[in-house]
């Protein structure tokens, strides 16, 4: 399953690691990634909060651009962002259930 998102002149391609899409970059399809990974056109790999902020910036998000720049330049912001990313990722299954329930309730 691949998803595409327009981002200015280019695009972002979303592929699950289980599809084998990351094997050329050293990501085995049979092992969990543990975090979002963003592979840029030049081959640079970003992961976790850095990948989220950079992806937001590539999609033209002003808050994403600010967060990406702060991540690159402000050490404490980078530390707190990665901590927050890990906390959300640890609770991904529970948060997904909550969001789905809220979506079901709002659809009624």
């Amino acid at each position: 399953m691949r998803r595409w998102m327009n981002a200015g002149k280019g695009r972002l391609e979303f592929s699950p690691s289980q599809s084998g899409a990351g094997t050329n970059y050293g990501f085995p399809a049979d092992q969990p990634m543990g975090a979002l990974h963003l592979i840029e056109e030049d081959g640079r790999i970003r992961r976790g909060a850095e990948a989220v902020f950079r992806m937001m910036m590539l999609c033209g998000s002003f808050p994403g651009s600010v967060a990406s720049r702060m991540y690159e330049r402000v050490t404490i912001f980078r530390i707190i962002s990665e901590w927050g990313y890990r906390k959300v990722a640890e609770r991904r299954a529970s948060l997904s259930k909550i969001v789905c329930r809220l979506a079901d309730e709002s659809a009624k």
Side-chain angles (χ1 to χ4, degrees):
M1 173 173 102
R2 289 185 174 182
R3 294 185 181 171
W4 299 91
M5 179 182 291
N6 291 332
K9 296 179 183 174
R11 62 182 179 192
L12 297 174
E13 178 182 349
F14 295 85
S15 298
S17 60
Q18 297 86 351
S19 72
T23 54
N24 293 342
Y25 300 96
F27 304 129
D30 61 343
Q31 295 179 4
M33 300 285 287
L36 172 75
H37 286 68
L38 174 66
I39 304 168
E40 299 210 41
E41 286 182 325
D42 65 0
R44 181 170 178 182
I45 299 171
R46 300 172 195 262
R47 70 180 307 272
E50 179 184 22
V52 172
F53 297 147
R54 177 71 175 158
M55 186 173 57
M56 290 171 64
M57 185 176 100
L58 291 171
C59 291
S61 165
F62 178 74
S65 295
V66 171
S68 184
R69 287 189 192 104
M70 286 183 64
Y71 186 95
E72 291 174 358
R73 298 176 183 159
V74 182
T75 303
I76 192 70
F77 183 80
R78 183 171 39 254
I79 291 167
I80 292 169
S81 296
E82 290 299 339
W83 175 84
Y85 183 92
R86 281 191 307 276
K87 292 300 175 189
V88 169
E90 289 169 3
R91 293 160 180 80
R92 188 175 291 134
S94 300
L95 291 171
S96 178
K97 289 176 187 176
I98 291 168
V99 169
C100 288
R101 284 184 192 147
L102 291 172
D104 287 345
E105 290 298 320
S106 67
K108 290 180 182 179

